[in-house]
Amino acid sequence: MSFQELGLRAELLRAIADQGYTQPTPIQSQAIPLVLEGHDLLAGAQTGTGKTAGFTLPTLQRLMAAPAPQGKTRPVRALVLTPTRELAAQVGENVATYGKFLPLKSTIIFGGVSINPQISALRRGVDILIATPGRLLDHIGQRTLDLSKVEILVLDEADRMLDMGFIRDIRKILALLPKQRQNLLFSATFSGEIKSLAAAFLRDPVQVEVARHNSTNTQVEQSVYPVDRQRKRALLSYLIGSGNWQQVLVFTRTKHGANRLAEQLEQDGITAAAIHGNKSQGARTRALSDFKTGQVRVLVATDIAARGLDIDQLPHVVNYELPNVAEDYVHRIGRTGRAGNQGAAISLVCVDELKLLAGIERLIKRAIPKEVVAGFEVDPTIKPEPIMKQGRQGRSDRGDNQGQAKGRNGHSGQRVAHGNRPAGKGKGSGDHHRSGHGNRPAANRGGQRGRQRPAARQGA
Ligand code: AMP
């Protein structure tokens, strides 16, 4: 199957050829014809599958095919909601890339940056808007955005949006859209919550699903390196140095852990930067671009911060600590071996994490090969410690989860500072997210993730 056979118009085919893509990925060949036919879609595909082009290309084509509504300014006709700023930026880049030969305008809006340039862009007229839910609602509250002409809605990484507690925001946004529209929901997983969200707003959806990285992507070579808790950093430096790894994405469970590890790697002579929800947008963008250009060899990230990072040919992903939620493992290793490239996913696992490892192996339905590195053999006398009892780590884990949910959805301090919360938000998601400032346990938050955490805390 070629892109031509999918029935895409010449301007899109040219843009695709400029990208060097020769063949559609499986999600693209399934989704594109369905979207072009006007179906609602429930698509199971995660980052790395080419899903972004899977919804962007046919969306652009449909907007071109239908006459634009007349009016003073061009109204938003397609809305893409994403859970994180990075993903919004990524999708926005894709829309600009694929749409470069078309007379359509797009813009990206997310929190953590000034709202004014976004207001100006909206005022100039935008056909395709890519947004995180929090900042989108800020614009609605300020009456700088009208969603009454939206023809196509895309919920990208819907599972992660629910995990991050965006369900109320999403409902509010849905209520502002015209009833008659096309809906595309992309999600890496189909939990009960996703299914009920889908049932609530999709219209006779066609379900498409492509293999997840965990089950079939043989491009990612996974391995576990058993190691003692205290020796992880030394092992990581050793692996990076001895393997001469030049570009490594490393995951930690906490923001504090990410900072500390980046500093320690620097002390070991390995250039490193940390990326997480407590960093300003500028710092995050800089860290990512330094990593992409090779100025920084290691990027240490927390789970939520890593969503939406698109780094071509990322050769190495390291789980410095296993995630509390098994699905996050799949997301993490999905950062390597993308679009047909080879990749290695390595997990440094200490005795505290054996239950988490078992949970991951259950999820991916196979055992991950173990490799003992000479000189780093585990000491069998070391007893497991509950992960949350490692005080500092536990506390920052909780903060991490909440801080990131707050930071990444556009509910930044700015909104509060501007005092521009839409009426009726008091009991809504704003409060919900603002609880991130307080000390409510993550488990009290809505969403799957919150509910899973207590078990992980005690059990693992
Ligand atoms: P996504 O899953 O949308 O984040 O895309 C993952 C990566 O695959 C991105 O780097 C895309 O640029 C790339 N990509 C998307 N479609 C294709 C294609 N048909 N052929 C090769 N690479 C692609």
Side-chain angles (χ1 to χ4, degrees):
M1 169 88 64
S2 66
F3 281 108
Q4 279 86 349
E5 286 169 278
L6 293 177
L8 292 172
R9 53 193 298 144
E11 298 93 329
L12 294 172
L13 293 175
R14 259 170 73 204
I16 292 166
D18 278 3
Q19 287 301 104
Y21 304 158
T22 50
Q23 274 198 327
T25 65
I27 190 67
Q28 290 164 3
S29 27
Q30 290 182 53
I32 291 171
L34 292 166
V35 180
L36 290 179
E37 282 166 20
H39 291 285
D40 274 16
L41 209 64
L42 177 57
Q46 65 176 64
T47 296
T49 56
K51 68 178 167 68
T52 316
F55 62 76
T56 302
L57 291 167
T59 296
L60 290 167
Q61 175 136 337
R62 280 187 66 80
L63 294 184
M64 287 304 293
Q70 299 301 307
K72 265 194 277 167
T73 52
R74 40 214 296 176
V76 174
R77 299 172 61 201
L79 172 65
V80 183
L81 291 179
T82 73
T84 67
R85 303 173 201 172
E86 276 79 10
L87 187 62
Q90 193 61 49
V91 171
E93 267 173 40
N94 274 262
V95 170
T97 301
Y98 302 130
K100 66 183 175 179
F101 299 119
L102 297 173
L104 295 172
K105 288 201 174 169
S106 63
T107 203
I108 311 166
I109 62 177
F110 51 67
V113 294
S114 167
I115 199 166
N116 295 326
Q118 299 174 355
I119 294 175
S120 309
L122 291 171
R123 221 177 261 142
R124 286 194 298 273
V126 164
D127 304 283
I128 304 151
L129 179 64
I130 302 102
T132 52
R135 179 54 70 88
L136 185 84
L137 287 172
D138 285 344
H139 282 277
I140 297 290
Q142 294 203 20
R143 300 184 192 285
T144 49
L145 173 62
D146 171 17
L147 295 178
S148 68
K149 299 285 188 301
V150 169
E151 297 160 38
I152 302 175
L153 169 71
V154 182
L155 288 193
D156 195 12
E157 304 204 350
D159 49 348
R160 185 54 57 138
M161 283 202 261
L162 297 188
D163 283 355
M164 290 172 69
F166 284 137
I167 186 67
R168 287 201 193 92
D169 285 356
I170 291 172
R171 290 226 174 90
K172 277 185 203 154
I173 294 165
L174 289 177
L176 299 168
L177 305 177
K179 295 234 155 24
Q180 187 66 34
R181 58 170 202 265
Q182 187 175 12
N183 303 290
L184 316 175
L185 185 154
F186 281 75
S187 182
T189 51
F190 285 144
S191 63
E193 268 177 308
I194 287 289
K195 286 195 189 123
S196 56
L197 177 68
F201 87 101
L202 297 178
R203 208 178 13 104
D204 288 334
V206 184
Q207 186 166 338
V208 295
E209 200 160 357
V210 294
R212 296 174 53 175
H213 272 295
N214 61 343
S215 49
T216 57
N217 192 334
T218 50
Q219 308 276 13
V220 181
E221 198 188 320
Q222 302 173 55
S223 38
V224 161
Y225 289 78
V227 61
D228 291 336
R229 192 187 306 125
Q230 302 298 344
R231 305 206 59 208
K232 282 191 175 188
R233 195 205 86 222
L235 176 58
L236 179 62
S237 293
Y238 170 79
L239 290 170
I240 292 172
S242 62
N244 194 22
W245 298 351
Q246 291 302 328
Q247 200 181 34
V248 194
L249 178 63
V250 177
F251 284 94
T252 59
R253 234 180 261 130
T254 70
K255 289 186 279 199
H256 178 80
N259 284 339
R260 201 160 39 113
L261 182 61
E263 281 164 22
Q264 289 170 334
L265 288 170
E266 288 274 347
Q267 283 163 18
D268 287 350
I270 296 167
T271 49
I275 186 164
H276 55 64
N278 269 6
K279 299 254 172 185
S280 69
Q281 187 56 34
R284 281 151 65 158
T285 308
R286 209 163 39 247
L288 183 60
S289 78
D290 286 351
F291 182 61
K292 282 187 174 181
T293 56
Q295 275 166 278
V296 157
R297 215 164 147 187
V298 179
L299 187 65
V300 189
T302 53
D303 286 289
I304 299 179
R307 288 292 276 198
L309 296 184
D310 180 27
I311 303 154
D312 283 342
Q313 306 190 16
L314 185 56
H316 293 103
V317 167
V318 175
N319 294 305
Y320 187 74
E321 293 155 332
L322 288 182
N324 287 335
V325 179
E327 279 83 3
D328 282 344
Y329 175 84
V330 179
H331 292 308
R332 288 178 176 190
I333 71 166
R335 317 308 318 179
T336 182
R338 307 185 79 189
N341 293 307
Q342 291 287 336
I346 285 135
S347 302
L348 309 188
V349 178
C350 72
V351 66
D352 308 341
E353 301 172 300
L354 296 179
K355 280 189 186 156
L356 294 179
L357 178 62
I360 288 165
E361 291 183 327
R362 249 193 326 275
L363 176 75
I364 65 172
K365 298 194 177 69
R366 63 182 166 117
I368 306 170
K370 317 275 176 301
E371 284 179 40
V372 176
V373 181
F376 290 91
E377 294 84 358
V378 295
D379 174 352
T381 63
I382 297 177
K383 296 274 173 293
E385 282 180 19
I387 284 166
M388 295 306 287
K389 268 198 194 150
Q390 294 162 22
R392 179 193 60 245
Q393 205 176 35
R395 273 197 300 279
S396 45
D397 179 54
R398 183 184 294 174
D400 188 55
N401 187 30
Q402 295 185 333
Q404 286 190 9
K406 174 175 68 71
R408 319 219 49 203
N409 63 22
H411 289 266
S412 63
Q414 265 183 338
R415 167 190 280 189
V416 180
H418 286 296
N420 59 9
R421 299 188 61 74
K425 275 218 93 160
K427 274 192 115 35
S429 60
D431 266 0
H432 189 61
H433 293 296
R434 255 191 257 132
S435 70
H437 294 296
N439 51 12
R440 221 167 102 204
N444 283 358
R445 300 187 319 125
Q448 209 180 355
R449 195 164 235 259
R451 281 202 300 277
Q452 286 184 359
R453 287 200 172 233
R457 259 205 288 277
Q458 286 141 25

